[in-house]
């Protein structure tokens, strides 16, 4: 046990005696002797601070410089066709700032000016159309918060626990407030009469980057809640998220959220492109591949404590917190286990679940240094319960990569250190 840990433990025990007497005292107030941070004049009271306009577009203060996207170098051959991970272990709330929202590119992020932007709708439509960026801004807008999860999120954990950190096991996800035009509006502008019976019709969407990342989407979804988005969290999309326009496909795997959106073709069948056959399909135990696994099933993860966010404050009150989401709709309940799934407690949802968006949960406990096997399990409005790893493997075998929504376990030692372990 480290010295600082012992100190904070002693202080906290005194602190909790005060808490029992009716005040929720922090560890600091229980320390003996004057606190120079209170009794002595500090440096920052004696100079004038930084003026406005020092940073026309603000950046996080330097003390937060570790809260950044990170990649795992050995995962991909190069950073051009690669992925990095959202630092979910260091965030709270539900909205992901764009600057630290994970990126996934198949041929790198491109720089596309609004002036050079064109979106074509063609195929089985009454009149093929091309929209400029300015044209898109003149259609009625809609707005909503949605999570975007890469189907490969948690994919490295199929065979056993591998990556030590919530950022790396679960950070291929972000959650933003999008503004855009409903895809239905644009399809209706082009006219779907030529498509005849819409049942069995598809749209094929592709991006302007070299990979094009083409995907087929069934018409029913295209006319439901898909957005052609140009703003995220109130501001323009970042280049890495598809500036100036991307597709938002609520609840469905991230790969379908085509960035730098350039063309939408109405078709009478799916294209069966690379991204929906050789990739993003699920290899089952018998070697056959399951395709069209579009919806991201209910999933959750404890973000603190976690391997990159160990318990550093000693024993006593501990806030266990995490994220839950479901591509089928709202999260209605999250359970937390401290003993590897033997017993469960209801976590508190910070806000009522929103459809196809992240939900923050908390469980406030009194931790006395007992070893924990922390797990969370999400339940969505369809009644679906997030499965254990063993339950997933029963259906899918060991060959899978994508669509791993199993329950995650963090082992917590009496010192507060957390590690990724498997309790299946
Ligand atoms: N045009 C294009 N769209 C794309 C991709 C791409 O490489 N090119 N990657 C896809 C994948 S696999 C994912 S998971 C999401 C990631 O979106 P993000 O980079 O904004 O996080 O974008 C999707 N859309
Ligand atoms: Mo992805």
């Amino acid at each position: 046990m480290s010295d600082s840990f012992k100190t904070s433990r002693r202080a906290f025990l005194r602190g909790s005696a005060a808490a029992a007497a009716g005040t929720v005292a922090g560890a600091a107030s229980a320390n003996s002797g004057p606190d120079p941070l209170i009794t002595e004049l500090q440096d920052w009271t004696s100079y004038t601070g930084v003026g406005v306009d020092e940073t026309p577009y603000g950046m996080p203060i330097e003390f937060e410089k570790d809260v950044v996207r990170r990649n795992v170098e050995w995962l991909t051959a190069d950073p051009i066709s690669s992925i990095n991970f959202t630092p979910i272990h260091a965030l709270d709330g539900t909205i992901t700032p764009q600057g630290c929202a994970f990126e996934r590119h198949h041929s790198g992020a491109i720089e596309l000016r609004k002036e050079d932007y064109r979106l074509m709708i063609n195929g089985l439509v009454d009149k093929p159309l091309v929209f400029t960026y300015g044209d898109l801004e003149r259609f009625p807008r809609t707005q909503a918060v949605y999570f975007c999860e890469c189907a490969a999120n948690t994919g490295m954990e199929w065979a056993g626990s591998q990556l030590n950190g919530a950022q790396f096991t679960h950070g291929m996800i972000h959650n933003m407030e999008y503004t855009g035009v409903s895809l239905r509006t644009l399809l209706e502008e082009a006219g779907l009469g030529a498509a005849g019976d819409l049942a069995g019709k598809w749209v094929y969407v592709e991006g302007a980057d070299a990979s094009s990342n083409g995907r087929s989407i069934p018409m029913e979804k295209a006319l439901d809640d898909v957005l052609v988005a140009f703003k995220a969290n109130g501001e323009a999309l970042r280049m890495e998220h598809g500036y100036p326009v991307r597709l938002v496909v609520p609840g469905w795997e991230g790969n379908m959220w085509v960035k730098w959106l350039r063309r939408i073709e109405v078709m009478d069948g799916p294209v069966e492109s690379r991204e929906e056959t050789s990739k993003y399909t699920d290899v089952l135990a018998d070697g056959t591949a399951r395709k069209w696994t579009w919806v991201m099933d209910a999933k959750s993860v404890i973000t603190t404590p976690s391997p990159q966010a160990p318990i550093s404050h000693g024993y006593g009150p501990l806030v266990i917190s995490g994220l839950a989401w479901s591509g089928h709709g709202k999260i209605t309940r999250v359970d937390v286990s401290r003993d590897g799934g033997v017993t469960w407690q209801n976590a508190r949802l910070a806000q009522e679940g929103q459809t196809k968006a992240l939900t923050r949960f908390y469980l406030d406990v009194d931790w006395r240094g007992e070893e924990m096997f922390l797990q969370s399990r999400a339940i969505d409005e369809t009644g679906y319960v997030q499965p254990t790893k063993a339950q997933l493997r029963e259906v899918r075998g060991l060959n899978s990569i994508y669509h791993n929504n199993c329950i995650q376990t963090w082992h917590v030692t009496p010192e507060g250190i957390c590690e990724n372990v498997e309790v299946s």
Side-chain angles (χ1 to χ4, degrees):
M1 196 179 280
S2 74
D3 273 357
S4 67
F5 197 83
K6 272 189 248 154
T7 312
S8 95
R9 183 187 172 191
R10 252 197 325 271
F12 215 106
L13 291 177
R14 266 183 273 137
S16 30
T23 48
V24 183
S29 66
N31 277 327
S32 51
D35 180 352
L37 279 166
I38 296 168
T39 57
E40 281 167 31
L41 217 54
Q42 299 299 316
D43 195 31
W44 52 83
T45 62
S46 58
Y47 62 79
T48 52
V50 172
V52 297
D53 280 352
E54 172 77 11
T55 334
Y57 191 95
M59 292 295 287
I61 196 163
E62 60 167 316
F63 315 124
E64 297 293 318
K65 65 175 183 297
D66 287 342
V67 184
V68 289
R69 304 186 270 237
R70 291 182 193 281
N71 74 356
V72 174
E73 270 174 31
W74 54 262
L75 264 186
T76 52
D78 66 74
I80 303 299
S81 177
S82 191
I83 186 140
N84 57 22
F85 302 84
T86 307
I88 52 172
H89 65 288
L91 303 177
D92 209 320
T94 57
I95 296 292
T96 317
Q98 287 203 71
C100 66
F102 86 95
E103 313 162 69
R104 169 75 175 108
H105 317 308
H106 290 74
S107 51
I110 56 167
E111 248 176 45
L112 179 53
R113 299 187 326 154
K114 281 180 186 163
E115 294 79 356
D116 299 334
Y117 181 76
R118 299 289 184 273
L119 170 62
M120 178 184 293
I121 297 190
N122 67 340
L124 303 173
V125 290
D126 301 334
K127 48 176 189 315
L129 293 173
V130 173
F131 303 96
T132 62
Y133 184 86
D135 293 336
L136 293 180
E137 286 187 308
R138 299 177 67 186
F139 286 94
R141 290 174 209 170
T142 58
Q143 222 161 70
V145 175
Y146 294 118
F147 75 81
C148 171
E149 182 184 19
C150 178
N153 201 19
T154 323
M156 288 77 77
E157 305 292 312
W158 260 108
S161 59
Q162 180 156 236
L163 297 173
N164 216 21
Q167 176 168 22
F168 305 112
T169 55
H170 290 77
M172 291 183 193
I173 191 162
H174 52 59
N175 191 65
M176 308 198 204
E177 184 208 60
Y178 294 98
T179 303
V181 178
S182 137
L183 176 57
R184 171 188 272 274
T185 303
L186 298 181
L187 287 171
E188 283 172 354
E189 183 74 8
L192 288 170
D197 182 2
L198 293 180
K201 296 296 184 301
W202 295 64
V203 295
Y204 184 67
V205 285
E206 58 183 21
D209 54 329
S211 82
S212 87
N213 194 81
R215 285 294 306 249
S216 313
I217 302 176
M219 185 58 84
E220 196 186 357
K221 179 70 173 176
L223 295 178
D224 181 13
D225 54 4
V226 177
L227 283 182
V228 173
F230 39 81
K231 292 278 159 84
N233 299 340
E235 62 180 357
L237 289 163
R238 295 283 165 87
M239 170 178 79
E240 59 269 35
H241 299 125
Y243 181 93
V245 178
R246 89 171 306 166
L247 205 65
V248 167
V249 191
W252 289 28
E253 62 183 7
N255 186 256
M256 303 173 96
W257 294 47
V258 172
K259 303 189 278 191
W260 314 290
L261 180 67
R262 73 179 281 268
R263 194 172 72 92
I264 300 168
E265 181 173 346
V266 176
M267 305 184 82
D268 54 15
V271 165
E272 313 244 7
S273 69
R274 173 185 183 274
E275 301 293 319
E276 51 202 20
T277 51
S278 109
K279 297 291 177 288
Y280 298 101
T281 51
D282 302 310
V283 180
L284 303 177
D286 65 2
T288 59
R290 177 179 78 175
K291 62 179 180 181
W292 310 145
T293 311
W294 297 310
V295 182
M296 301 307 290
D297 282 328
K299 185 166 169 180
S300 67
V301 65
I302 290 173
T303 50
T304 55
S306 64
Q308 297 157 288
I311 306 170
S312 57
H313 56 50
Y315 304 154
L318 167 69
V319 176
I320 298 172
S321 179
L323 293 166
W325 61 95
S326 168
H328 288 281
K330 294 175 185 168
I331 288 295
T332 50
R333 198 179 100 203
V334 178
D335 299 329
V336 169
S337 176
R338 287 185 267 168
D339 52 18
V342 180
T343 60
W344 295 91
Q345 278 174 286
N346 265 198
R348 176 166 58 85
L349 305 187
Q351 282 179 29
E352 202 184 309
Q354 295 174 61
T355 194
K356 303 167 191 177
L358 294 188
T359 295
R360 170 65 58 180
F361 65 86
Y362 297 107
L363 184 70
D364 307 295
V365 302
D366 183 23
W367 181 58
R368 293 286 149 189
E370 66 277 13
E371 184 180 40
M372 295 188 281
F373 288 91
L374 279 182
Q375 298 186 332
S376 62
R377 117 183 132 187
I379 293 127
D380 71 18
E381 63 179 314
T382 69
Y384 175 94
V385 182
Q386 184 183 357
T388 63
K389 225 179 206 186
Q391 287 169 330
L392 261 196
R393 284 181 185 148
E394 257 170 50
V395 182
R396 307 258 299 274
L398 278 176
N399 298 327
S400 263
I401 297 172
Y402 305 110
H403 308 106
N404 179 359
N405 68 321
C406 74
I407 290 171
Q408 171 67 40
T409 312
W410 305 128
H411 173 228
V412 185
T413 69
E415 288 77 29
I417 295 162
C418 305
E419 253 196 309
N420 181 6
V421 296
E422 174 166 329
V423 175
S424 36

